[in-house]
Amino acid sequence: MNSELRASEARQQSKARDQVSSVHPHGKKVNKSKPKPLYFWDCADVNKWMKKWCGALHEKYGELFLQQEVTGRTLIRMNDIKLEKIGIVNPAHRRELMQHILRQRLKHEMTDLKNMDQEGTGFAQSRYQSIREKDKEKHTENNKEKRSETNNS
């Protein structure tokens, strides 16, 4: 009994860590945490996604995806030929799975685009600043050369 209670508490704590949520004034639950990016998904995340979005295909191929260790990085690169190679021989099933995968890929790409549009974030901003600084240095050097040429004439 104690081990069941501890296991239940551990699941609840894990769930609380994974998703920070609060209650909206109108009683709706609001998710404050960002979803994990697709390329960081492990096999369990892919399986959870399949269970939620692919229905009967999850029942049929969920175990196959686990055996093949399909992660988010693998999923995002999936195509019809790769699905067939891992053992999904039914073309209708491959087509349906590819529709779900492509929707998820599009969602992932849209998130990346939104993140790129945000100013002052991460690598893109620091890279942009370093390029601007190099351009300033070149401009300053060019002006010095022009002045020295003018003075020498």
Side-chain angles (χ1 to χ4, degrees), residues 12-68:
Q12 288 174 349
Q13 288 173 350
S14 174
K15 196 173 186 179
R17 275 193 310 268
D18 290 346
Q19 186 177 45
V20 178
S21 58
S22 62
V23 178
H24 189 272
H26 300 292
K28 294 180 182 177
K29 209 172 189 185
V30 179
N31 185 359
K32 295 222 175 188
S33 65
K34 289 186 178 182
K36 188 189 304 186
L38 181 60
Y39 41 82
F40 289 136
W41 285 9
D42 58 17
C43 299
D45 293 320
V46 171
N47 199 20
K48 190 182 345 178
W49 168 80
M50 281 188 76
K51 188 174 185 176
K52 182 175 181 177
W53 296 103
C54 301
L57 293 174
H58 170 261
E59 293 171 17
K60 196 164 187 85
Y61 301 113
E63 189 62 36
L64 177 67
F65 271 56
L66 286 172
Q67 288 171 355
Q68 294 293 322

Side-chain angles (χ1 to χ4, degrees), residues 128-142:
Y128 174 71
Q129 286 174 343
S130 66
I131 291 170
R132 263 192 0 209
E133 288 169 6
K134 286 180 183 178
D135 285 345
K136 270 185 184 177
E137 289 172 11
K138 280 184 182 178
H139 185 69
T140 305
E141 288 174 19
N142 287 341

